[in-house]
Amino acid sequence: MGSGSEYGLSERGEPKERTPSGAGAAPRHRVRLDQPRAPRRILLPEYDPEAFGRFSERIARFLGTGRFLVWMSLTVLVWVVWNVFAPKALRFDEYPFIFLTLMLSLQASYAAPLILLAQNRQDDRDRVTHEQDRKQNERSIADTEYLTREIAALRMGLGEVATRDWIRSEFQDLMKDMDERHLFPHDGSRGSDEGDR
């Protein structure tokens, strides 16, 4: 039996590094398929997309409630009343309310993508639910077809089985036939069979 070096194995049984033939060739780094790759360094910050999605859904749900409308209306009302009736030195947004407009447009620009993200997540959930419902319906249809075939086979099998009524009618027909042939006496008593012995 040959040694491991004939098969490209080292003394410990691991594959040897092969170098291309020729003088001065540098050894190549061999990729091991039996070991996981070392993780790459990522310079960008990492975040959990599911956590961000859940957060966006909570915000989108809150934006769709009456409580949000009440708080938003109260905020705008307090803002306008403060900047109209407060002393001049304490006002921070004069009559055209430019800063209020900026804040409302900023809130709307963040609310729209959050609502769309929440809708996309809901669409994904609905797609999975519809797929599961479709598979369940296919299984139910297959079960129903199987049961229908089994019931049809049972009916065909029962069509060939003698029922009690059929046997009773056959016995009655046989009794009538025997009466017509006078095998039984009409008075209902049978003759003695002593002469036959």
Side-chain angles (χ1 to χ4, degrees):
M1 190 161 179
S3 66
S5 60
E6 294 176 8
Y7 301 105
L9 299 175
S10 68
E11 292 178 5
R12 294 188 308 177
E14 296 176 354
K16 284 185 176 180
E17 297 288 333
R18 290 192 181 189
T19 57
S21 60
R28 260 185 10 199
H29 177 68
R30 183 172 176 172
V31 177
R32 298 284 307 256
L33 297 178
D34 60 338
Q35 295 177 352
R37 283 187 181 176
R40 295 183 188 173
R41 284 185 156 187
I42 298 174
L43 300 176
L44 298 174
E46 294 183 15
Y47 68 95
D48 182 14
E50 290 299 315
F52 185 72
R54 288 191 296 270
F55 176 70
S56 67
E57 283 183 335
R58 287 177 59 195
I59 292 177
R61 285 193 188 102
F62 176 68
L63 291 177
T65 60
R67 188 170 22 158
F68 170 75
L69 291 175
V70 168
W71 281 107
M72 192 70 176
S73 301
L74 285 175
T75 303
V76 170
L77 183 65
V78 167
W79 187 297
V80 169
V81 168
W82 179 267
N83 286 303
V84 169
F85 297 110
K88 197 102 166 137
L90 297 176
R91 294 181 195 170
F92 56 90
D93 192 16
E94 291 296 328
Y95 164 65
F97 308 120
I98 303 294
F99 190 52
L100 175 63
T101 306
L102 175 67
M103 294 303 290
L104 290 176
S105 58
L106 184 67
Q107 181 263 333
S109 67
Y110 274 101
L114 288 174
I115 291 171
L116 288 175
L117 181 61
Q119 285 179 344
N120 289 340
R121 285 173 56 86
Q122 185 63 41
D123 288 342
D124 292 341
R125 281 196 297 270
D126 290 344
R127 191 178 304 113
V128 170
T129 303
H130 290 311
E131 183 67 23
Q132 290 174 348
D133 289 345
R134 186 182 63 78
K135 288 180 181 177
Q136 181 64 36
N137 289 340
E138 287 177 357
R139 285 194 295 268
S140 298
I141 289 171
D143 291 345
T144 304
E145 289 175 354
Y146 172 75
L147 290 175
T148 303
R149 286 194 299 270
E150 288 296 313
I151 290 172
L154 286 173
R155 284 183 177 170
M156 290 172 61
L158 283 176
E160 298 171 0
V161 172
T163 60
R164 185 175 55 186
D165 293 336
W166 181 81
I167 292 173
R168 184 176 292 147
S169 67
E170 288 294 315
F171 276 140
Q172 288 174 354
D173 290 343
L174 186 60
M175 293 292 288
K176 284 181 187 175
D177 190 30
M178 292 174 77
D179 279 345
E180 288 173 3
R181 292 184 184 179
H182 302 290
L183 294 176
F184 292 125
H186 291 289
D187 61 354
S189 65
R190 296 186 176 182
S192 120
D193 55 350
E194 289 177 359
D196 296 336
R197 289 184 183 173

